[in-house]
């Protein structure tokens, strides 16, 4: 077992351990604060989708649009080409539709 783990288990409290404890506490508190902010943002996004739905927009389609807008142009074109290829192979898209 590592020395730090052994010291932590034994309850030894040296100056270095106090610093490490404070650093760990600071890191944990920052993560907790960011998790709270993340949840607040998720709630805000949920409200916007609810507003969109109330105004007659399809939220599933909106989510797709958001996902597509995150992609760069070449990645999006590659995915569209693969989708067309698969749909053609399954007979769900005619070649004339291109």
């Amino acid at each position: 077992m590592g020395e730090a783990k052994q010291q932590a288990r034994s309850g030894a409290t040296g100056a270095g351990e106090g610093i490490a404890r404070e650093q760990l506490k600071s890191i944990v508190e920052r993560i907790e604060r960011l998790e709270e902010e993340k949840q607040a943002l998720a709630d805000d996004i949920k409200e916007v989708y609810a507003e969109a739905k109330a105004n007659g927009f399809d939220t599933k389609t909106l989510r797709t649009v958001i996902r597509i807008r995150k992609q760069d142009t070449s990645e999006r074109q590659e995915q569209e080409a693969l989708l067309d290829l698969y749909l053609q192979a399954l007979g769900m898209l005619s070649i004339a539709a291109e």
Side-chain angles (χ1 to χ4, degrees):
M1 183 177 331
E3 185 179 320
K5 285 184 182 179
Q6 286 177 344
Q7 288 177 350
R9 285 189 176 185
S10 69
T13 56
E17 291 173 7
I19 293 170
R21 181 179 300 129
E22 288 303 313
Q23 184 180 22
L24 177 60
K25 181 179 176 185
S26 173
I27 289 170
V28 168
E29 288 172 350
R30 286 172 41 208
I31 291 170
E32 289 172 340
R33 190 171 46 255
L34 289 169
E35 289 290 342
E36 289 172 5
E37 291 175 18
K38 183 170 77 170
Q39 184 59 50
L41 287 172
D43 292 342
D44 290 347
I45 291 169
K46 188 176 180 179
E47 287 179 22
V48 173
Y49 278 112
E51 178 185 341
K53 185 175 184 175
N55 286 311
F57 293 100
D58 181 70
T59 57
K60 185 176 180 181
T61 304
L62 278 174
R63 289 179 191 279
T64 301
V65 169
I66 298 300
R67 181 180 46 80
I68 289 170
R69 285 175 54 109
K70 288 179 184 178
Q71 298 173 341
D72 67 0
T73 304
S74 62
E75 182 182 1
R76 185 177 67 244
Q77 289 172 343
E78 181 181 342
Q79 283 194 346
E80 288 173 354
L82 283 172
L83 178 61
D84 286 348
L85 178 67
Y86 290 2
L87 291 175
Q88 285 177 10
L90 295 170
M92 298 173 68
L93 181 69
S94 65
I95 297 174
E98 295 178 353

